[in-house]
Amino acid sequence: MKKYSIAAALTLICFPVYAGEFVYDYSAVADGFYGYTQYADKYRHLYQRNNTPVSAEINTSVGYNFDNGQQLTLGVDAQVAHGKEIKDYNHGDWGENVYLSYASGYGEISVGQIYNAAYQMAVGAPTVGYFRVNNTPMTDFIANPNWQRKGKITSYRTLNSTYLNTDADAFKVSYTTEEIYNTKLAVSYTPDSYSEAGLINKNSRYDNRSSYAAGLYNNLDLDFVEVESSLGYAYNRKNNQEISAGLSLYRKGWTLGGSYRKSFTTSSDYALNETSKAYMPYYFDGYRRGQAFNVGLSYEIGPFKTGLSYFAAYADKTNNRDSIVSFVNRFAFNKYASVYLATSYAEYKGDKTLDEGNRGYAMIGGLELNF
């Protein structure tokens, strides 16, 4: 399906219906970190103390701006990583995203490997550069047995994000309205929601993986504080339904934010897996009936940004629990280079055995390069 998107983009870009101009854009980022992890005594033999994840991403786009205000854009992004605990790229250690978008006075239509409408509209706890609160890279330093995607093992026994990312960047069609009274609405459709970056895995037996999502975003400037808020809903056929809500407040360099997500099933959905099989871990899809929330506070002044955040996830039908506290500092020497110093404490509880749980803290330092 990607080749049809590319062909359509080239055809439309080259078709001289209206006069205009070509525009090009690209950016790249590379990150390298070292982290030392101290595990609780009973987990020390299961996990590494020293971790050195590295990653790089290139984002490129070519577009055509028509004189009548419309714009057509083809985007191609590529990612590569090494030393990741969770390999969520669509080709293991590397991946790509190809998408086409068309913007006019009536809104924007996007087709390709993109995140769903609710995810794109979502707001929540503030991030500090590389260290996201949702789908956090802290698992590269303090491994979480509840979240696994490596080799032939794939399972998500709890939610890894308060944003609706079950279908991740699987191919989809999305429409976003123009901003009206500080508000945007977006909807999306995913024909097959399985993605190597999503929560649904290839061992699931859902016979129809189509997915629908809607998101609502609002921003208000109240003079003394800037407010962002969001609502999201997703219907993942034969899998589950999800709702989310987020709020962020900004004032003079300070940002306070948080978000919540609930995932639930109905009688028409497949039941949770309760029997342990060689190819299907116990409650491998426990995230389908669960909750997650985050809250965070950050402060930015000049080249320095610091942030404290908390993330928690719970699976309703099991004892699986996740709790992650992160304190991150970033200093930008210039627009090209930044250094990080972070610390984190995490506690992951499994349902049955020692191998399904973990607890520890990590000290992390690293460098980020932007081009």
Side-chain angles (χ1 to χ4, degrees):
M1 194 165 286
K2 294 180 205 173
K3 64 182 180 180
Y4 295 123
S5 297
I6 296 173
L10 293 176
T11 300
L12 290 172
I13 288 175
C14 298
F15 192 73
V17 177
Y18 298 105
E21 63 175 349
F22 285 99
V23 291
Y24 308 91
D25 189 29
Y26 78 92
S27 64
V29 58
D31 303 283
F33 293 91
Y34 168 75
Y36 176 79
T37 304
Q38 181 64 53
Y39 293 108
D41 289 340
K42 62 181 179 180
Y43 301 113
R44 288 182 179 177
H45 68 289
L46 295 173
Y47 303 103
Q48 297 182 158
R49 289 179 181 269
N50 300 285
N51 300 278
T52 55
V54 295
S55 62
E57 182 171 350
I58 300 175
N59 304 300
T60 63
S61 67
V62 56
Y64 193 79
N65 291 339
F66 298 96
D67 286 346
N68 62 357
Q70 301 176 43
Q71 183 181 53
L72 185 66
T73 304
L74 172 67
V76 180
D77 304 334
Q79 313 89 20
V80 63
H82 177 72
K84 293 287 187 178
E85 181 65 24
I86 299 174
K87 297 186 177 182
D88 59 359
Y89 296 114
N90 48 21
H91 294 287
D93 288 324
W94 68 279
E96 90 290 326
N97 298 84
V98 181
Y99 56 91
L100 178 69
S101 66
Y102 171 74
S104 69
Y106 298 98
E108 181 176 3
I109 298 174
S110 300
V111 180
Q113 294 167 289
I114 54 178
Y115 280 86
N116 66 54
Y119 186 99
Q120 294 183 41
M121 298 289 103
V123 299
T127 64
V128 181
Y130 174 87
F131 289 95
R132 306 177 302 275
V133 180
N134 289 308
N135 198 17
T136 175
M138 288 300 182
T139 54
D140 295 332
F141 307 97
I142 311 172
N144 185 354
N146 288 327
W147 305 340
Q148 299 182 56
R149 187 182 289 281
K150 197 171 185 179
K152 296 182 179 180
I153 300 175
T154 302
S155 66
Y156 283 95
R157 303 171 195 176
T158 55
L159 291 164
N160 68 349
S161 170
T162 57
Y163 297 167
L164 306 188
N165 66 337
T166 296
D167 54 1
D169 55 1
F171 179 89
K172 58 179 62 69
V173 179
S174 183
Y175 169 71
T176 304
T177 67
E178 286 287 284
E179 187 170 298
I180 303 174
Y181 297 111
N182 303 311
T183 302
K184 284 186 176 183
L185 173 66
V187 293
S188 61
Y189 167 65
T190 309
D192 185 349
S193 57
Y194 171 71
S195 167
E196 286 289 353
L199 302 184
I200 294 178
N201 75 76
K202 58 189 175 185
N203 292 322
S204 64
R205 60 190 179 120
Y206 321 129
D207 59 357
N208 189 325
R209 295 168 175 161
S210 61
S211 178
Y212 304 83
L216 184 68
Y217 168 83
N218 177 266
N219 68 89
L220 294 173
D221 188 346
L222 303 179
D223 293 333
F224 67 95
V225 66
E226 296 177 26
V227 182
E228 291 182 289
S229 59
S230 66
L231 294 173
Y233 170 76
Y235 171 68
N236 304 305
R237 184 174 173 82
K238 301 298 292 185
N239 185 33
N240 67 343
Q241 296 181 60
E242 302 174 291
I243 56 174
S244 67
L247 180 68
S248 179
L249 308 175
Y250 174 83
R251 176 177 170 82
K252 295 183 178 180
W254 291 93
T255 302
L256 173 66
S259 52
Y260 172 79
R261 174 183 183 180
K262 181 175 178 59
S263 177
F264 57 95
T265 61
T266 64
S267 58
S268 63
D269 299 320
Y270 278 114
L272 292 177
N273 167 53
E274 298 183 19
T275 57
S276 181
K277 299 179 181 179
Y279 63 91
M280 191 177 292
Y282 187 79
Y283 278 122
F284 82 106
D285 58 357
Y287 74 91
R288 294 200 291 130
R289 296 180 187 172
Q291 303 175 64
F293 72 90
N294 64 36
V295 62
L297 177 68
S298 71
Y299 179 67
E300 185 171 14
I301 180 171
F304 178 70
K305 186 174 183 179
T306 185
L308 178 66
S309 64
Y310 175 73
F311 175 91
Y314 311 88
D316 292 349
K317 292 294 183 178
T318 75
N319 293 322
N320 296 85
R321 302 286 186 270
D322 301 315
S323 180
I324 305 172
V325 180
S326 301
F327 178 55
V328 183
N329 300 277
R330 182 185 69 179
F331 183 84
F333 294 111
N334 50 48
K335 64 179 181 179
Y336 302 108
S338 302
V339 293
Y340 288 84
L341 181 62
T343 184
S344 182
Y345 174 79
E347 185 170 350
Y348 315 118
K349 294 182 180 180
D351 199 61
K352 296 178 67 178
T353 68
L354 176 63
D355 289 354
E356 294 178 349
N358 189 18
R359 184 181 69 205
Y361 65 87
M363 295 294 297
I364 307 160
L367 176 68
E368 181 177 83
L369 301 176
N370 289 274
F371 306 95

